[in-house]
Amino acid sequence: MSNRDRRAKESEYTYELGKLVQKFLPTEKERLIYKTMQKTFGLHPMSNVDPLMYKRGGFHQKRRKEEFFEWGRKIARERGIPSYNRAVGIPLGQRALEPYIISGTDVIVDYDDLHHVNNAAMQQMLDDIKRTVIINLDTTHRVLQVRAGKEITPETINLYLETVQHTIAGGAVAQEHMAEIHPGLTADAYCKIITGNDEIVDMIDRRFVINIDKVGFHPSRAAILKRDIGDTIYMVVRAPTISVRMGDGGVTYRWAAMQSSMAFISAYRLTGESIISDIAYAAKSAQVIQIGERTWYSRARSQNEPGGIPYGYFADIQQCDNMLPAEPYFKIIGEDLEEGRRYMRNVAKAGTILALMTELIWYGFYMSGGLGFSTGVAAGAYCGNVVEDLLDNFSEIQHVSISRVKTVPPRWTRIKFITDMMIQAAMETYEKYPSLMEYHWGGAHRISLVGSLAGSAAAMLTGSPMIGQMSMNYAIGMLMKEGWVRTGWAGQEVQDHLGLAYSCAFRMEEGGLIEFRGPNTPYASYTAGHSSGAIGACLAAQLGRGRAYVCNPVIKVAFADPDLKFDFREPRLAIAKAALRQFMPAGERDLIIPSH
Amino acid sequence: MSEKKKKIKYEPQFYPGTEKVSERRRKLMDPERRLVKLRDIPDDDIVQLLGHRAPGSLYTSVHPPLDEIMEPYDPIRDLVVPTPGAQAGDRIRFVQFTDSFWSPVIAPWLRARMYFNRFRGVDTVIYSGREILEMRERDVEAATRLLIETEVFDPARTALKGLTVHGHALRLDSDGLMFDARRRYVYDKELKEVVYIKDMHARVLDDPIPVGRPLSEEELNEMDVTYRWNLTPYKSRTELLLIITRATNFRILGGFKPDLIKGM
């Protein structure tokens, strides 16, 4: 038998195993994790000794840190006040400052490039969410017909849509004395229509439509989305990025209401306060879909900020699963391992957005600020091919476990056995690969990642996010905690304790369905680091049920828009481009400041 | 009524499982079981390693000794005997250890459980690699002695780290020591012992303090408190996994509908 064909059996690992590592190397060498860790650290990835420790050359190992060093000196010279200064604090770089491989790509970046302040794509992702609101036009059209006596035709709708592109960018339509905005500053502002009615789509200028059939949804998904959206007409408003960067997410719906109302006034030649009030009220309150609610007082933020976004909306904002057929996952994994792996890998890709939005942006930035303490944890979701390797294993376990099964009921007793196997396989991967342990240097990395994967895997099999959340808590607060007697996120989050009860109760914490909970749900505030796991469970449950969206079909379609600056279908590529400084964001002020 | 109810003696159960890792955990948590002393560290060295006061100096007080205070009546005060540090009015100080992931003789969650069972007057916080223990000053010194001199300390894989605590998950250096970005300790090749050249806060010591020889790989494997694929695989730990399952089931049912819980 050649080395390539050699497959180690699980039982073979359980005897005298340290000495037998050599025997199993051919098997391990085929794993993605082996290849990636070897590329990352340049040494045997299964050794727990780093012979070059303390002899690595300090921060000079990294080009980016040298750049920071030079800039620190430059700033100090120019302003006379010290800035970034490597003479203070500990000497960095005694250990390996490892490069970060963006999963699924060959792009290798420096760790600092993944800090949200250094990465323009991450900022744009946040901005694109914050600057979006959706207005339903049905009430407005009714008011125009019944109260103003106007006729609504494809021509008038197209005229209105052309007008609103002008007003949303800061152009005046009804008054000469309005100061206008330089269109170059708001070039990313626009509005588009979403509807499930093909006839309406055909009648609207295609530049102003997000056509569900043409934005990359699998036909089975597109059919569900169109059916559930129906004949109603929604308008997605993208306020300019600069508006949310100057103000906050709460600016967006005000901007949208004001500018869309002005466009109605112009396009339909309106006058009369009461009619216009109705139109403005519909846009501002009655028929608007905010992406996020206001957060509670002690963490007060306005609408459309990440803390107020429900888990189900987060799961709909990502677009990584669009091309997957709307089929229940357990059938797919039972029949075809490779197709099942494709589902898993797309969930992994979606995890990039979920981890960035919750762990990095909400927890690490909004709630904490400053240093990128959660950068590494979020990076665990999209760097080093770790998730891919673990999920490949999970898929195999699932394939073997549920082949020939007609249904996987959402019962804990059914899913626990598979969860045990998956988590123990993940834990053993860390134990076998000290380089991976170093790569995920904090318990938070490991606990969040493996817990999220456990939750997603269980939810995908059963179609139940609650089972997913239970599985995540069990993985963290029980299996990993008792196996290693250590957890993560300072060991003080809800998941680290025997706190499963709330996840099964609708009333207990007033949380209701998991899809409608979010970082703004009171207890979830104390589980901020694991929010991505809850979102992953919601998303995975949707795939488990064979549906096309998690919570809201309009949100799902709104972020499938190819004209968005950030690509919600390929988040890793956008982030990699930004790390290489090749991603062009919106909202820049170059037009109104001296050249630099 | 003549039948007397038979008294059942309460026997605390510290941890499930029959294999050596469970046994290690049980031993460390059980205050009745004596921890094996592996090394002697002089009093002054402990004080210097902690770095809270100079050796020989008086303890700083934050309140007069309790004997000198007239306190309002509180039944709890009659029940709880103050620790020596509390009795004397010492300030609160801390000791903090980081435990390597690689065959640790103790690990954070186990530390917490051990601290609560073996010490009094403690406040502790668990992290993934480190554990801080706050007590009155003379109490923390006494606890530190136990924590450094006995089997819960391996000079190579356990470290006193008051700040810049990371390193638990990193690979070991060429001497087999856990990484320390502050280089508080080094391996003295002549002495064949680990020597602290800085205190817990990374302030350079006047004289190096030896803390003993690193345990051998064989010793560490025997004393490892974690399950791991090549020593004590987790997946075959039936009793522990059964207890975990039972607790999980009860929590799920309790959260959903407590009436469903049977067989407590």
Side-chain angles (χ1 to χ4, degrees):
Chain A
M1 187 164 39
S2 72
N3 280 344
R4 244 186 113 65
D5 297 330
R6 177 84 170 85
R7 291 285 185 278
K9 289 178 191 165
E10 196 71 58
S11 58
E12 289 179 281
Y13 279 103
T14 55
Y15 306 105
E16 279 300 323
L17 312 177
K19 291 172 188 167
L20 291 178
V21 160
Q22 295 300 323
K23 187 175 172 185
F24 299 112
L25 267 182
T27 302
E28 294 295 341
K29 277 182 175 174
E30 284 178 31
R31 288 182 66 173
L32 194 52
I33 201 74
Y34 186 97
K35 292 168 190 164
T36 313
M37 287 302 117
Q38 192 170 43
K39 204 169 178 180
T40 302
F41 288 96
L43 295 166
H44 181 33
M46 297 175 81
S47 163
N48 72 350
V49 172
D50 175 10
L52 296 177
M53 194 171 272
Y54 304 119
K55 303 164 197 162
R56 296 256 180 196
F59 72 86
H60 298 289
Q61 290 177 62
K62 285 291 155 209
R63 186 171 50 101
R64 200 65 80 207
K65 292 222 185 281
E66 286 198 315
E67 184 186 335
F68 294 174
F69 176 71
E70 289 304 324
W71 267 89
R73 293 191 350 174
K74 177 174 179 288
I75 293 165
R77 271 198 303 269
E78 286 176 0
R79 72 179 191 181
I81 305 169
S83 175
Y84 182 91
N85 182 2
R86 282 268 48 95
V88 299
I90 57 165
L92 297 182
Q94 298 175 78
R95 57 173 286 268
L97 298 177
E98 67 273 48
Y100 273 65
I101 297 170
I102 306 287
S103 298
T105 75
D106 291 327
V107 179
I108 298 176
V109 302
D110 281 356
Y111 182 52
D112 297 321
D113 293 324
L114 303 176
H115 191 293
H116 46 282
V117 176
N118 293 335
N119 193 295
M122 292 179 192
Q123 295 163 22
Q124 192 63 51
M125 175 185 66
L126 174 63
D127 291 340
D128 278 354
I129 294 171
K130 285 164 65 170
R131 71 194 185 96
T132 297
V133 294
I134 299 161
I135 301 170
N136 187 293
L137 298 184
D138 293 353
T139 296
T140 307
H141 286 160
R142 186 82 178 144
V143 167
L144 290 171
Q145 285 175 315
V146 174
R147 299 196 43 208
K150 304 287 182 182
E151 198 176 353
I152 308 295
T153 66
E155 288 74 23
T156 63
I157 294 177
N158 281 322
L159 174 62
Y160 165 74
L161 287 170
E162 186 159 0
T163 309
V164 80
Q165 313 301 332
H166 171 76
T167 56
I168 211 75
V173 284
Q175 232 280 23
E176 275 190 284
H177 293 97
M178 297 292 136
E180 296 187 308
I181 300 171
H182 189 311
L185 296 172
T186 56
D188 58 327
Y190 62 88
C191 301
K192 283 188 178 183
I193 291 295
I194 294 175
T195 178
N197 185 316
D198 287 341
E199 283 182 32
I200 297 175
V201 170
D202 287 343
M203 288 187 289
I204 306 272
D205 188 330
R206 64 182 179 188
R207 294 173 299 172
F208 307 140
V209 181
I210 301 176
N211 188 333
I212 296 172
D213 288 326
K214 293 184 178 171
V215 287
F217 288 109
H218 189 275
S220 57
R221 286 174 171 261
I224 296 173
L225 288 166
K226 281 158 66 175
R227 184 194 69 201
D228 289 1
I229 291 172
D231 295 339
T232 189
I233 300 176
Y234 291 94
M235 183 172 73
V236 180
V237 179
R238 314 282 186 202
T241 296
I242 200 166
S243 68
V244 292
R245 294 188 82 79
M246 274 186 71
D248 56 16
V251 166
T252 305
Y253 82 100
R254 296 179 171 94
W255 188 292
M258 171 66 87
Q259 303 307 88
S260 69
S261 298
M262 291 306 297
F264 273 119
I265 289 168
S266 172
Y268 289 93
R269 298 175 185 280
L270 298 176
T271 187
E273 285 298 314
S274 66
I275 294 172
I276 293 170
S277 294
D278 281 1
I279 292 171
Y281 179 70
K284 211 167 190 173
S285 304
Q287 292 215 295
V288 65
I289 300 174
Q290 308 268 14
I291 307 301
E293 294 292 334
R294 284 193 194 95
T295 45
W296 63 0
Y297 183 76
S298 63
R299 303 245 161 86
R301 309 280 174 188
S302 64
Q303 296 89 342
N304 268 28
E305 294 288 344
I309 301 176
Y311 292 150
Y313 275 25
F314 274 123
D316 280 333
I317 286 168
Q318 67 73 34
Q319 303 290 320
C320 303
D321 60 340
N322 289 5
M323 270 313 291
L324 300 174
E327 288 283 332
Y329 170 76
F330 83 90
K331 284 186 184 168
I332 289 169
I333 189 67
E335 290 165 9
D336 184 347
L337 176 59
E338 283 312 310
E339 182 66 359
R341 279 187 170 152
R342 192 163 78 96
Y343 273 64
M344 278 286 194
R345 289 200 170 204
N346 280 285
V347 169
K349 207 193 285 181
T352 308
I353 294 175
L354 313 185
L356 287 174
M357 282 304 295
T358 55
E359 288 163 6
L360 186 63
I361 303 288
W362 176 243
Y363 193 23
F365 179 52
Y366 275 80
M367 286 169 65
S368 305
L371 196 67
F373 80 98
S374 56
T375 303
V377 183
Y382 62 92
C383 288
N385 295 315
V386 183
V387 179
E388 280 70 10
D389 182 273
L390 295 179
L391 285 180
D392 278 358
N393 266 354
F394 286 13
S395 307
E396 216 164 309
I397 291 170
Q398 291 178 348
H399 179 65
V400 171
S401 304
I402 66 157
S403 286
R404 297 185 295 278
V405 166
K406 284 185 182 166
T407 174
V408 184
R411 287 180 183 280
W412 178 239
T413 44
R414 181 76 184 84
I415 214 70
K416 185 197 153 299
F417 172 67
I418 300 175
T419 302
D420 277 346
M421 284 201 291
M422 292 188 299
I423 301 311
Q424 286 164 7
M427 289 171 73
E428 287 188 357
T429 302
Y430 281 103
E431 292 158 13
K432 284 176 189 167
Y433 288 86
S435 51
L436 174 61
M437 187 60 82
E438 181 163 332
Y439 195 63
H440 288 174
W441 47 265
H445 301 61
R446 307 183 289 269
I447 296 292
S448 296
L449 187 78
V450 178
S452 299
L453 297 184
S456 299
M460 272 177 93
L461 283 178
T462 59
S464 163
M466 186 174 284
I467 286 286
Q469 185 143 313
M470 283 156 57
S471 184
M472 178 175 79
N473 292 359
Y474 172 71
I476 295 170
M478 291 289 189
L479 271 183
M480 299 178 79
K481 180 171 151 189
E482 293 309 324
W484 290 337
V485 272
R486 50 179 104 218
T487 49
W489 289 120
Q492 313 304 323
E493 284 225 321
V494 170
Q495 278 80 2
D496 297 312
H497 304 281
L498 291 171
L500 283 162
Y502 64 83
S503 68
C504 312
F506 284 170
R507 280 295 294 181
M508 188 179 282
E509 297 281 354
E510 301 291 344
L513 289 168
I514 294 173
E515 285 89 342
F516 295 141
R517 302 179 195 173
N520 203 27
T521 308
Y523 83 81
S525 170
Y526 302 101
T527 183
H530 292 99
S531 288
S532 60
I535 304 169
C538 295
L539 169 63
Q542 169 232 309
L543 293 167
R545 295 191 299 269
R547 298 288 296 166
Y549 61 92
V550 175
C551 207
N552 188 329
V554 187
I555 297 280
K556 184 72 183 170
V557 175
F559 285 90
D561 181 3
D563 287 325
L564 274 169
K565 281 281 170 187
F566 182 80
D567 187 349
F568 287 86
R569 290 163 298 186
E570 293 291 347
R572 290 172 174 175
L573 290 181
I575 286 159
K577 274 175 75 176
L580 299 172
R581 299 184 178 171
Q582 293 172 2
F583 179 89
M584 192 61 204
E588 300 305 299
R589 296 180 295 177
D590 290 2
L591 287 164
I592 53 168
I593 58 175
S595 59
H596 56 97
Chain B
M1 297 296 287
S2 60
E3 280 184 37
K4 280 188 178 176
K5 273 193 177 175
K6 194 180 173 185
K7 268 196 170 179
I8 300 171
K9 195 186 169 200
Y10 171 68
E11 286 183 20
Q13 300 175 56
F14 289 99
Y15 210 80
T18 52
E19 82 310 319
K20 65 180 181 185
V21 171
S22 294
E23 172 53 24
R24 283 287 303 159
R25 292 180 183 186
R26 260 196 303 278
K27 180 180 182 187
L28 302 191
M29 279 190 255
D30 185 351
E32 301 298 321
R33 295 172 70 174
R34 201 180 167 87
L35 298 174
V36 178
K37 189 173 175 182
L38 297 180
R39 56 194 77 83
D40 276 311
I41 311 289
D43 287 350
D44 283 356
D45 284 359
I46 300 244
V47 171
Q48 286 195 75
L49 285 170
L50 287 173
H52 296 309
R53 68 183 177 102
S57 64
L58 293 175
Y59 292 103
T60 305
S61 300
V62 290
H63 60 75
L66 294 181
D67 293 341
E68 296 173 17
I69 305 176
M70 285 293 287
E71 293 183 285
Y73 173 73
D74 180 347
I76 302 300
R77 284 201 182 91
D78 289 341
L79 293 172
V80 179
V81 179
T83 64
Q87 183 71 42
D90 291 355
R91 56 191 180 163
I92 304 282
R93 300 284 94 179
F94 76 96
V95 62
Q96 184 163 245
F97 291 92
T98 297
D99 302 305
S100 171
F101 185 83
W102 304 112
S103 296
V105 289
I106 191 166
W109 272 98
L110 188 53
R111 272 190 189 276
R113 293 165 183 175
M114 187 185 92
Y115 291 173
F116 285 130
N117 284 338
R118 287 182 181 270
F119 302 141
R120 297 175 58 235
V122 305
D123 188 7
T124 185
V125 179
I126 307 152
Y127 297 83
S128 57
R130 64 176 160 130
E131 176 96 11
I132 192 166
L133 171 65
E134 290 189 336
M135 300 169 86
R136 300 285 188 147
E137 189 159 1
R138 73 191 69 196
D139 301 337
V140 87
E141 287 175 5
T144 304
R145 169 174 297 289
L146 179 89
L147 295 173
I148 295 185
E149 288 189 338
T150 64
E151 59 186 298
V152 293
F153 186 81
D154 169 39
R157 313 266 174 108
T158 318
L160 269 164
K161 291 185 179 181
L163 77 169
T164 311
V165 295
H166 66 278
H168 84 271
L170 270 55
R171 291 166 295 166
L172 307 170
D173 73 9
S174 47
D175 293 321
L177 268 56
M178 178 168 58
F179 175 75
D180 181 11
R182 296 274 183 182
R183 301 302 303 272
R184 275 163 277 226
Y185 48 87
V186 293
Y187 181 64
D188 187 324
K189 288 189 170 62
E190 287 179 11
L191 204 57
K192 294 194 179 344
E193 285 191 19
V194 173
V195 172
Y196 272 74
I197 52 175
K198 297 177 186 172
D199 69 9
M200 185 169 74
H201 314 278
R203 291 177 298 225
V204 178
L205 294 164
D206 292 337
D207 295 307
I209 297 176
V211 291
R213 68 166 178 89
L215 298 177
S216 69
E217 206 61 42
E218 288 72 29
E219 287 171 313
L220 285 170
N221 289 349
E222 281 303 307
M223 296 164 72
D224 193 347
V225 295
T226 57
Y227 295 101
R228 96 189 33 246
W229 73 283
N230 57 345
L231 294 171
T232 317
Y234 196 19
K235 57 170 67 83
S236 50
R237 303 285 76 85
T238 315
E239 188 176 329
L240 173 57
L241 293 174
L242 276 175
I243 296 292
I244 287 176
T245 304
R246 184 171 179 267
T248 306
N249 287 345
F250 285 168
R251 294 298 294 178
I252 291 172
L253 293 174
F256 174 63
K257 194 177 180 189
D259 299 350
L260 294 174
I261 295 180
K262 294 183 180 74
M264 280 289 280

